[in-house]
Every structure is written in structure tokens, then in C-alpha cells.
Amino acid sequence: MPTPESRPRVIVIGAGIAGLAAGCYAQMSGLDSRIVEKHVLPGGCCTAWARQGYLFDYCIDWLIGTAPGNDAHRIWRELGALDGKSVTNFEVFNRVVDERGREVSFYNDPDRLERHLLELAPGDAGPVRDFCRDLRRFTALDLYPFLTPPPLRTARERLELLRTVLPSFRLFWRTGATSMDAFCARLKDPLLRRAFPFVFFQDHEVFPLLPYLFNMAAAHRGNCGFPQGGSLGLARSVEARYTGLGGRIDYRAPVARILVERDRAIGVELKDGRREFADHVVAACDGPTVLGRLLGGRYSSPVTRALYDEALHKPESLYPGVVSAFIGLTGDLPPGTPHSTTYLLSPQDSARLPAVRQDSLVVQLRSRYADGFAPPGRSVLHCTYFSDFGYWQALRSRDRTAYRARKREVADFVRGFLERHYPGTSQRAEVVDVATPVTLRRFTGNHEGSILAWKSFTEAERLTERLVAKERMRLPGLAGFSMTGQWVTGGGLIRTASAGRFAIRYLCDELGMPFRAWPSDNDTPWHPDRWGELPQLGSRATYLGAAPA
């Protein structure tokens, strides 16, 4: 084991989940790491903020790896992410309601789902039974190859992966090759045909059947739940694990550029002019910013050029931004209200939502996800829709007053929409706060406010696989440097945590040091105090006070 004086020094840019994970694994493996973060708290997109006693949880809809016995759970245990926490599991992944009030509930239990869908649409028995049959098959699978990057897998790891994949190869291939659009074309019932793409709340457009089946099956096994403390709670737990391992985080420390000497990264220069030096720099932040501003466009590869010069500008490659409206209510919604509902909007409603992309609005009753999100006797809802960054950025740049007015239009629409579905809610609204894709860009630096970076099942994902497996998360011609996070592996929290693990595994392999990881043994029950000081993120909400008479 290296002495403290001889330990290789690592600087990680960004305290999102990937950066925190890289820091944790660096500390466990005997490296001397330090994280620099532009914001005032950890998590990146995995965040929350406070208004009038409400906590607005921004990120997690579901978290892969909440049940023991799989590699995804092992990573969260190593990072301390679930320490002392309960997990909420739901019987329904999502409910979808059309303009006329007809609805479908996507139960995670394949038997219950099949009965429900056949009652709604007996004429669609064939495709319904096919979908539920495949869902049953996925419930028997437990495949989470997130521990080791492909080039470093041992013969035993490769054999175990083959043992899992080969018996179900045809299932993976067939469901991965069948687009959701092709499946929906087989359905006769208009509600089912429109509703199926919204199992994951919004329509992910390019997805085949495989991810829907995979995640619903995980939810049925209890491995796709919502952790106590939510998004910021997850980040705070990993932060505590990192600092408990001896790591250091500097907040309010934006990086101006990566210092390079003779084609080797030697540290970073902060915006205030300070320079911090290290033997290795890990960039766990916005990919376009790293390649363009922090490295001055000096280093690239055919893969990064295909990603950042070409795929970045193709809408089908990149997840769009999201408009979020949080509503704090006195009282609660009726007891049987599902935790999540996607409402398919009429043309008239859709026309009232600025820059809406999919004619749909997702309404989540966040106070049913975990305790502490609303004061006693109150509840909080999170309403979202996919939207265009360019629209909001141009408006904010041209006219801040008009930008705020448009956010107010979102707030007014959401209050009115909820009033139609749940009479009396408008009068009980205490706080309505709206965040746009520009908001996410301002606080995280994410390109165009994209929530998950690269879309899965696209050419961009195939390029990221090459970036990880072939180029080992490095840039040719630049030593002492790695990239990690959602701009390297794609989004999803378990993937970003795994990306941090991969970066340190590669670094340990390069340095000839053993990679080490072990689970956290902190079993102290979660308490809201662990959120720490909650940021307000601005001086005022979009709307405060009771609705006018």
C-alpha cells in the first residue's frame, strides 16, 4: 500500500454521481483524490431544492439496484448510497390517461397486467399475451454488468456473463430488435396503441421493447424502487461515504481549464485563478464543455468527433430538456391516486404549454414516494414535459421578463389542469415553482439542459461503448486524463455510478495498483437532517399563495 506521501494524486471535476463514485473508488484503492465542484452541493442532476418547507425532488423516478443480490445493488452498497434507508416499491410502473378519461395502468406483475389489458382491449389478446409472456421471462433474469469494464473482465467474469446471456439470447435479440412503434402497430385499441410508449412516463421514441420489459421486471422483483431521501439524499449519502474515506470536496470551485504540459494533464485552473495539481485528472462533467472549453479543442479521437461534432447535433441522439412544475398543496390527493400518471393532452391543452414536444404531461405525487418531501398535512406534485432548450434559452437571453411570464403560463396551466382532474387543488396550491431546461443548464452545465445525455439504442450509444471499451475513457495523445459520467456511458444513475467505477479501474490497471472496493457498513437510519442546508435556488417561486377567487 502506498504511503500518504507517495499516493498518486487525482483531481475529479464534478461532484455528480459519477464524480462522487470515482472519488470513492479512488480512495478505496489507495489514491489521494479531491473533487472540485462548481455548485454548492453534490449530485449534479441528482438534486433537489426547497421552497416554503417543501422539498422539490428533481431526479429519481426509479433506481435500479434497490434489492440485494445483484451487481447494481453491490455498487450502491459500496458507495453507501442506500445506507440506513427504506425503499418504496410500487405495483404500477405508470398510469396513462387519454383526453376522454380512459386509462390504463401498467402493473409490474405480468399476470395482473395481462388481466387488466385484456379487460380493456380483448381484441388485442395476441400482442398483449406476447408482451406479458416476455415480461415473465425477464423477471427470471438478473443481468447488471456494471462492475468491470469489458477489457478488464476476468475469464470467470466473462463465463458468468455468458451463462446468463446465452440461455436468453433469443429473448434479448428479439425484444432488442423490435421497436415499440412496431409493437404498437399490432394493437387495435387506440388507447393501448398510444399508451404503451409512455410506460416510462415520456415517450423515449427510439426505444425497443427490451428496456420496458427489463425495468418493469426489475420493479416486480423490488429492484427498481425509490430510496428514502430521494435524489439529494442519494447524493448526500455518497458524499458522506467519500469524505468518510478521506476524500475532499471543494464546492463553489468552477474549473476554467485543464492544465496540460507536454500532452499530459497535470491539474486544473479554477475560475478564480487558483491552480491545483495532480498526477491524473478525471473529468466527470459536461462532455462538450470538457472537450471544447476545458481542453481548448486540442484533443479528440474519431469516436469523440463522431459523438461531439456529429451526434451531438442530431435530435435523435440526445435526450431533450424537461420543464418541471412543482406544486405544494395543503392536504392530499385521494388515497387511490397513483404515484405517477401520464396525461395525453388534447391539441387545445398542448397548445397552451410552451415548447411542448410530445403532447403529454406527467404528474407524479412525490409525497407518496418518500417521507419528508412536504410539511405535515401537505403534499407535493411534480409535473413534467419534454421541451426544447433553444426556445427557453432564446427567450431568457432576449427578454427576462417574458421568460418569467412564460414560466408563469406553465404554472397557471398546471394549476388549471389539476383542478379539472382533482377539483379543489387549485385553491389549495401554496407554492408553484417552474424549472426549465435553462435552469438545469445554469446549475449543472449540462449541454442544452439534457437530462440524460445520449439516448440509448442509437448510434451515439454504440459510440460510447467504443469510448469505454476500446479507448478506455481516454483521449489519444493526452496522458494523465480520463472522462467519465453520462457523457461517456449514457445516462441513468446506475450507469453513471458504474462509469466512475470504470474510470478508477482503468487508472489502477495503468498504475499497476490493485483496485479495491468494499461495502459501506454504516447502518445509521436515514434522517432528514442528512439533506443538510437545502438550497433555495433563487429568490422567489413562480407562484406563491392561494388561488384568486
Side-chain angles (χ1 to χ4, degrees):
M1 188 76 175
T3 64
E5 294 76 18
S6 66
R7 290 189 303 166
R9 294 167 299 167
V10 178
I11 287 179
V12 179
I13 306 172
I17 298 302
L20 290 170
C24 287
Y25 288 115
Q27 291 299 122
M28 284 188 272
S29 297
L31 304 170
D32 180 15
S33 72
R34 176 181 179 182
I35 299 175
V36 289
E37 166 59 45
K38 64 178 286 188
H39 199 11
V40 299
L41 76 170
C45 297
C46 190
T47 193
W49 62 93
R51 293 284 192 201
Q52 303 294 306
Y54 293 91
L55 186 73
F56 295 156
D57 189 84
Y58 185 77
C59 175
I60 300 176
D61 294 314
W62 70 88
L63 186 70
I64 288 290
T66 52
N70 59 82
D71 288 346
H73 186 77
R74 174 177 165 180
I75 288 177
W76 295 130
R77 291 289 294 119
E78 290 170 350
L79 297 177
L82 303 178
D83 285 355
K85 296 178 180 178
S86 62
V87 173
T88 301
N89 292 297
F90 297 105
E91 294 181 348
V92 175
F93 210 102
N94 191 31
R95 177 180 67 152
V96 181
V97 180
D98 70 11
E99 306 91 324
R100 296 185 299 277
R102 194 165 177 243
E103 62 182 66
V104 55
S105 295
F106 288 99
Y107 295 100
N108 298 312
D109 181 335
D111 295 334
R112 189 174 182 184
L113 177 64
E114 184 172 316
R115 290 193 300 270
H116 174 62
L117 295 181
L118 291 178
E119 288 174 3
L120 283 174
D124 284 321
V128 163
R129 289 197 172 104
D130 288 347
F131 185 89
C132 295
R133 177 203 62 210
D134 287 341
L135 182 56
R136 291 185 189 94
R137 291 172 175 170
F138 270 94
T139 60
L141 295 173
D142 196 12
L143 178 63
Y144 303 98
F146 298 128
L147 292 180
T148 310
L152 300 185
R153 288 174 187 158
T154 64
R156 181 178 178 179
E157 286 176 312
R158 291 173 181 159
L159 181 59
E160 289 178 352
L161 184 61
L162 283 173
R163 284 174 176 169
T164 302
V165 171
L166 285 180
S168 302
F169 175 78
R170 291 185 63 187
L171 176 66
F172 281 110
W173 179 85
R174 178 170 49 77
T175 58
T178 304
S179 70
M180 176 57 81
D181 286 345
F183 172 78
C184 289
R186 297 175 57 197
L187 298 167
K188 301 174 184 176
D189 185 271
L191 174 61
L192 294 195
R193 192 163 55 244
R194 294 177 64 198
F196 256 97
F198 292 90
V199 172
F200 288 173
F201 315 135
Q202 284 102 356
D203 181 359
H204 292 255
E205 297 172 343
V206 297
F207 275 16
L209 289 181
L210 190 154
Y212 296 95
L213 294 161
F214 180 90
N215 283 277
M216 292 178 73
H220 183 51
R221 295 195 307 271
N223 197 40
C224 192
F226 187 87
Q228 189 179 16
S231 305
L232 183 56
L234 187 92
R236 286 294 194 194
S237 292
V238 183
E239 175 195 47
R241 173 68 163 158
Y242 174 62
T243 56
L245 290 164
R248 170 184 167 184
I249 306 178
D250 291 345
Y251 291 109
R252 295 185 177 91
V255 173
R257 66 188 180 106
I258 295 169
L259 300 174
V260 177
E261 188 175 281
R262 297 178 182 177
D263 293 325
R264 182 176 189 88
I266 60 170
V268 298
E269 182 178 297
L270 303 180
K271 192 174 181 180
D272 63 8
R274 286 181 295 153
R275 292 187 170 192
E276 305 292 344
F277 297 95
D279 301 297
H280 196 89
V281 175
V282 178
C285 51
D286 179 65
T289 299
V290 171
L291 293 174
R293 180 167 62 82
L294 301 189
L295 286 172
R298 294 170 56 192
Y299 299 94
S300 66
S301 70
V303 173
T304 60
R305 286 193 294 273
L307 276 172
Y308 294 102
D309 294 344
E310 299 174 23
L312 188 69
H313 306 292
K314 297 178 180 178
E316 66 271 18
S317 299
L318 201 65
Y319 273 103
V322 168
V323 171
S324 291
F326 290 95
I327 302 95
L329 299 174
T330 58
D332 200 355
L333 296 189
T337 305
H339 74 289
S340 178
T341 301
T342 298
Y343 290 95
L344 305 178
L345 300 178
S346 67
Q348 294 78 14
D349 279 338
S350 186
R352 293 181 56 202
L353 275 181
V356 65
R357 288 183 54 144
Q358 293 190 341
D359 299 335
S360 62
L361 180 72
V362 181
V363 178
Q364 296 177 323
L365 186 48
R366 280 278 165 168
S367 40
R368 298 269 176 88
Y369 283 62
D371 55 357
F373 288 167
R378 287 164 169 78
S379 55
V380 61
L381 291 91
H382 185 198
C383 305
T384 58
Y385 66 91
F386 278 162
S387 189
D388 292 310
F389 173 83
Y391 170 87
W392 293 101
Q393 177 63 27
L395 186 62
R396 187 175 186 273
S397 299
R398 184 176 66 251
D399 188 339
R400 295 284 182 91
T401 301
Y403 173 77
R404 288 191 292 269
R406 197 71 78 229
K407 290 174 66 176
R408 179 63 182 259
E409 288 179 18
V410 174
D412 289 342
F413 173 85
V414 168
R415 289 172 58 224
F417 187 84
L418 291 173
E419 178 67 24
R420 279 153 44 193
H421 289 271
Y422 302 100
T425 54
S426 183
Q427 297 293 328
R428 296 190 284 119
E430 292 187 307
V431 183
V432 183
D433 199 23
V434 175
T436 73
V438 175
T439 311
L440 184 69
R441 172 68 177 174
R442 286 172 55 216
F443 287 103
T444 69
N446 261 23
H447 177 76
E448 295 195 349
S450 176
I451 54 169
L452 290 169
W454 308 114
K455 284 185 180 179
S456 300
F457 305 98
T458 64
E459 178 61 25
E461 183 179 54
R462 288 183 281 275
L463 289 167
T464 61
E465 289 171 353
R466 288 174 56 191
L467 186 59
V468 172
K470 300 295 184 183
E471 299 188 0
R472 297 192 171 205
M473 309 166 91
R474 304 296 179 89
L475 292 174
L478 179 61
F481 175 78
S482 303
M483 293 178 67
T484 191
Q486 63 179 2
W487 291 99
V488 175
T489 61
L493 287 175
I494 186 58
R495 294 181 72 175
T496 55
S498 177
R501 198 180 202 272
F502 282 10
I504 301 304
R505 288 218 64 169
Y506 278 135
L507 179 56
C508 288
D509 184 65
E510 176 186 301
L511 296 174
M513 297 177 61
F515 174 84
R516 293 188 174 93
W518 59 87
S520 169
D521 59 2
N522 182 2
D523 58 1
T524 305
W526 165 265
H527 189 275
D529 288 346
R530 295 194 179 185
W531 276 317
E533 184 178 351
L534 296 170
Q536 300 297 315
L537 299 192
S539 60
R540 59 184 178 181
T542 304
Y543 172 84
L544 289 167

